[in-house]
Amino acid sequence: MTSVDPTLRATRTTCPYCGVGCGVLATPDGSGGAAISGDPEHPANFGRLCSKGSALGETIGLEDRLLHPMIRCKGVLERVAWSDALDHVAHRLKHIIARDGAHAVAFYLSGQMLTEDYYVANKLMKGFVGSANVDTNSRLCMASSVAGHRRAFGADTVPGCYEDIDEADLLVLVGSNAAWCHPVTFQRMLANKQKRGARMVVIDPRRTNTAEDAELFLGLKPGTDTALFSGLLVHLADNGLLDRDYIEQHTTGFDEALMRARQIAGSVAATALATGLTEADVASFFKMFRETERVVTLYSQGVNQSAQGTDKVNAILNCHLATGRIGKPGASPFSLTGQPNAMGGREVGGLANQLAAHMGFTPPDIDRVRRFWKAPRIATHEGLKAVQMFEAIARGEIKALWVIGTNPAVSLPDADVAREAMKKLELFVVSENVRSNDTVEAGVHVLLPALAWGEKSGTVTNSERCISRQRSFLPAPGEARPDWWILSEVANRLGFGAAFDYKSAADIFREHAALSAYENNGNRDFDIGALTSLSDDAFDAMAPVQWPSREGAEPQARFFANGNFYANDRKARFVAPEIPALRSETNAGRPLRLNTGRIRDQWHTMTRSGLSPRLGAHLPEPFVEIHPDDANKYGVVDDSFARVTTDYGQCILKAVVSERQQRGMLFAPIHWSEANASSGRVGALVAPFTDPYSGQPESKVTPASITPYEYVFRGFVLSRKRIELPQSLWWARAAVTGGYAYLFADNADLTRWPNWLRAVSCDDLAEYRDFGGGVYRAASFAGDRIETCLFVGPAHDAGDWDVVKSLFAAVSLSDDQRRMLLSGRSTEGVVSTGPVVCACFGVGRASICDAIADGARSAADIGARLKAGTNCGSCIPELKRLIAQADTAIAPQPVAVAN
Ligand code: SF4
């Protein structure tokens, strides 16, 4: 989408969003921005980017950036010198450790950190402070996959690679909305379908966009994945389809696992009963799996985010081990990681139950890492995992917390309790890019400015174990510094300078590589010893490289086709899973279950993606999706509002009534926070139940109730700057070209608006008042440009922000445009194209529906007419759905529509 001037020099780097790990070419424009395109040479994406990656250029800028260290003094954050901030952090840490012990301090890290930053944080805490209280937001994302891998393989190994997706004949997606959450990898799946005729099965309680292209969609009951894959294991066994040689030579525990599978789902009929699927659908899936040698099963948060997530992972792995379909071209289980460097975090030991370099807390591993680091106080047992860590903070056992690059006040389950816990800390340090977010506002004591994407330099590892360079292409702004530098400076002040005397990310990478190979001898999967001696120049130029990268050994794309697992006996373990059961029950007061997840065009808590007008146009408001039958039952109306309540909290969200949602289930996205919406912080609703092995929370089935919530008025404000709205509004903020949009709903008298507008805008004001009809519209101007524009009206007819947005984006308005502005219509007769579906070309839903009505019958037809879907392809599933809806003459399902 963004064109790159070939005369300018592009920097090869890696996308900072999801675990696909796409290569990006970034060409700085010399004034703080950069043109972005996909790197045609990167093996993860071969030049393709999704809507989020394509819009990266819109997210670079210094507005809201934290540029100086700050310390809270008498309740107010004040700018201080780096030396003062670092001295303060070290002094307070030393004091707390001396008084309460090493376990009174903790680091909470992020899957967005670079491997080098992660490495230094982990080494400092586990090797020198002497505690393993280092955990990461990756705990919320894929910890169950890690635990499942370690139980089955003896190591956290992803056996396959992306080429398997190209070469499979059957792609089974479990709990994964890859069309929205891993869009470039999903395009690879579609390319395989198109070129080779691969079939696709999608297993998910929600009929997501991913299901649009599936030959078979299995909308199973939540929490029953283990039953489905147990039924499959029994079916394979009973039909003589096991790879007996593989089981015999390379595994143990098969009989126990099969016996348990029989208890859980001993037949097609029992599987159907347990999962809520029809017997025909279950039988179809089993037939497809059994008849196809080349099967890749891809799974993600729908599997991981569960109190039985590890068992679900192992139920899937059991089927692949039993058929020997592992580590072979086109045949493997495949965990899709959510974050850009979840894998790098796993490599360095960034989870509290890992030590370092894929070593755990066994005596030999502890001794090896201690000797390598020359560590004076190495941690000797696991630390507290994320949810337990914040519980310990709430109990006052952890007194000092350093959060780096994440926003736990929004993303943790039971987030209100976690936020309150942070307020109790004696020392609360946050390394951040932004001056303010929900976590910073939870009472941070020391705020440290970290480099952001485009400024920092190091490595990340994607879902297929491919290590890529993230390179800087922008200067460091203000006094922002790399995380590794900040951590090393504190380590130095704690008296550990000799072990943290790093001069560059390359220094750290070499040490990380050396540790991976240290006394390894093929006994550990993670080995990048061949990269230990990279020079600084070679590190700068390093091309994407998949691990393992062992010194003197041939490259190895896959693991385990011939066994050779990482348990002491080099065999894999079949695991007998527990009987599937959710940790919570619904009841009369909480009759529904709340599922949470991502949307296509936003990332985490929106601190970056929320800056892009393109991305803000797709789904600009926090919403809850509900099945039409449930909507009827609970009186919820599409495009109105609803209050969702759980035992932990409540939110008011836009209501989207959709048959994509299963009866009895609600779905709400995770991205909104108090920084960008009045009542959309969904983490506060989620139960804190966790998996006993992985510690990952059950984020997808919290018992909930829903009630309609009515607002008399709705409206929007478009403003050049961030503004404070009147009290008691429901609102959500989105970026628009030239400023910000605030979409709101209100029950207060209209008469408050004129005074409010005068207080926030300039004098050149045009107004339209019809208080009797419930309408107030006004705009203020600076010269010929709109400064602020406010539309308020009855909830069913508040004016069309899409039309006004285009006038707001203009540098100057003609007299005609200025006259027509408050009518909500454009002078060129342009009508609203509706909510944006194609973010790359800004094509709205109404335009697409018109094209379909005019005969477009495929995504390619729509692309030829409107360009929609012809760049990143992320919207193609949505285009197909709109075509399908038109074909079956079902009225189109509204997405979360703007006012
Ligand atoms: Fe970035 Fe999209 Fe690629 Fe993920 S799929 S790495 S978000 S461009």
Side-chain angles (χ1 to χ4, degrees), residues 104-299:
V105 299
F107 291 169
Y108 189 63
L109 310 178
S110 160
Q112 329 266 309
M113 287 171 74
L114 301 181
T115 298
E116 294 70 22
D117 299 327
Y118 244 132
Y119 179 87
V120 175
N122 189 58
K123 178 180 172 182
L124 173 58
M125 183 60 94
K126 290 188 184 148
F128 292 76
V129 172
S131 161
N133 285 342
V134 179
D135 215 44
T136 151
N137 61 11
S138 296
R139 179 73 56 196
L140 316 178
C141 172
M142 43 81 246
S144 296
S145 284
V146 176
H149 287 159
R150 291 172 81 188
R151 285 205 300 185
F153 307 149
D156 175 22
T157 318
V158 173
C161 56
Y162 287 155
E163 280 179 10
D164 296 328
I165 291 167
D166 307 330
E167 295 176 25
D169 294 319
L170 179 63
L171 296 157
V172 181
L173 286 123
V174 197
S176 165
N177 185 7
W180 278 19
C181 301
H182 299 92
V184 167
T185 303
F186 187 68
Q187 293 299 321
R188 259 172 114 145
M189 298 178 209
L190 296 186
N192 182 358
K193 276 172 70 73
Q194 206 165 35
K195 282 190 207 138
R196 301 179 57 260
R199 292 177 300 168
M200 187 184 285
V201 178
V202 172
I203 300 166
D204 198 316
R206 290 171 68 209
R207 185 182 276 276
T208 62
N209 278 37
T210 303
E212 292 303 316
D213 286 282
E215 274 68 28
L216 180 63
F217 168 66
L218 299 178
L220 78 185
K221 288 194 292 193
T224 61
D225 316 67
T226 296
L228 183 64
F229 283 88
S230 294
L232 177 60
L233 188 67
V234 171
H235 180 82
L236 295 167
D238 289 351
N239 288 277
L241 292 155
L242 302 174
D243 185 335
R244 284 281 173 201
D245 287 344
Y246 192 91
I247 294 171
E248 186 63 32
Q249 288 175 34
H250 303 304
T251 72
T252 63
F254 177 74
D255 292 341
E256 294 83 351
L258 181 60
M259 200 186 311
R260 180 64 55 80
R262 287 193 192 286
Q263 287 171 0
I264 293 171
S267 65
V268 168
T271 308
L273 194 65
T275 56
L277 299 168
T278 65
E279 288 187 36
D281 278 351
V282 171
S284 294
F285 170 50
F286 289 179
K287 181 169 186 290
M288 287 163 92
F289 194 101
R290 98 179 164 232
E291 290 178 349
T292 314
E293 197 56 38
R294 288 179 169 230
V295 183
V296 175
T297 304
L298 303 114
Y299 51 93

Side-chain angles (χ1 to χ4, degrees), residues 2 5 27 67 147 166 181 348 361 367 382 386 407 426 561 783 864 887:
T2 317
D5 179 345
T27 308
L67 298 174
D166 307 330
C181 301
V348 304
F361 287 91
D367 182 56
E382 296 183 1
N407 199 353
E426 256 183 64
D887 284 348

Side-chain angles (χ1 to χ4, degrees), residues 745-768:
D746 192 14
N747 282 327
D749 198 286
L750 276 187
T751 53
R752 69 168 161 171
W753 286 105
N755 285 342
W756 174 83
L757 187 61
R758 280 195 178 79
V760 300
S761 62
C762 42
D763 293 337
D764 182 4
L765 200 66
E767 286 183 300
Y768 171 78

Side-chain angles (χ1 to χ4, degrees), residues 480-631:
R481 296 282 184 275
D483 287 315
W484 65 259
W485 180 88
I486 303 170
L487 287 153
S488 299
E489 287 292 317
V490 170
N492 185 29
R493 284 161 170 80
L494 290 172
F496 310 128
F500 292 85
D501 187 24
Y502 303 115
K503 300 288 182 285
S504 65
D507 270 355
I508 302 162
F509 183 81
R510 284 186 286 265
E511 183 178 310
H512 167 56
L515 175 58
S516 76
Y518 186 60
E519 299 176 358
N520 188 323
N521 306 318
N523 291 320
R524 304 195 301 272
D525 62 339
F526 178 64
D527 184 343
I528 53 170
L531 306 173
T532 302
S533 312
L534 284 185
S535 66
D536 287 0
D537 286 347
F539 180 71
D540 274 348
M542 191 171 96
V545 55
Q546 195 174 32
W547 66 259
S549 180
R550 300 181 199 276
E551 184 75 58
E554 289 296 308
Q556 174 188 342
R558 301 176 177 87
F559 284 85
F560 309 142
N562 299 308
N564 224 4
F565 293 89
Y566 290 97
N568 288 340
D569 59 4
R570 305 309 294 243
K571 292 192 172 186
R573 300 278 179 281
F574 282 92
V575 174
E578 294 298 320
I579 307 290
L582 298 173
R583 278 284 293 278
S584 55
E585 302 276 349
T586 55
N587 54 48
R590 303 275 183 263
L592 303 166
R593 287 194 181 275
L594 176 66
N595 180 4
T596 62
R598 292 180 174 160
I599 60 173
R600 190 190 75 190
D601 286 357
Q602 295 297 345
W603 178 256
H604 281 197
T605 60
M606 291 196 204
T607 43
R608 176 175 293 283
S609 60
L611 303 174
S612 161
R614 250 199 274 178
L615 300 180
H618 182 222
L619 295 170
E621 296 158 301
F623 64 91
V624 57
E625 217 171 62
I626 180 169
H627 188 275
D629 292 352
D630 289 330

Side-chain angles (χ1 to χ4, degrees), residues 15 17-18 20-22 49-50 52-53 182-184:
C15 177
Y17 295 125
C18 83
V20 176
C22 295
L49 295 176
C50 76
K52 292 186 285 294
H182 299 92
V184 167

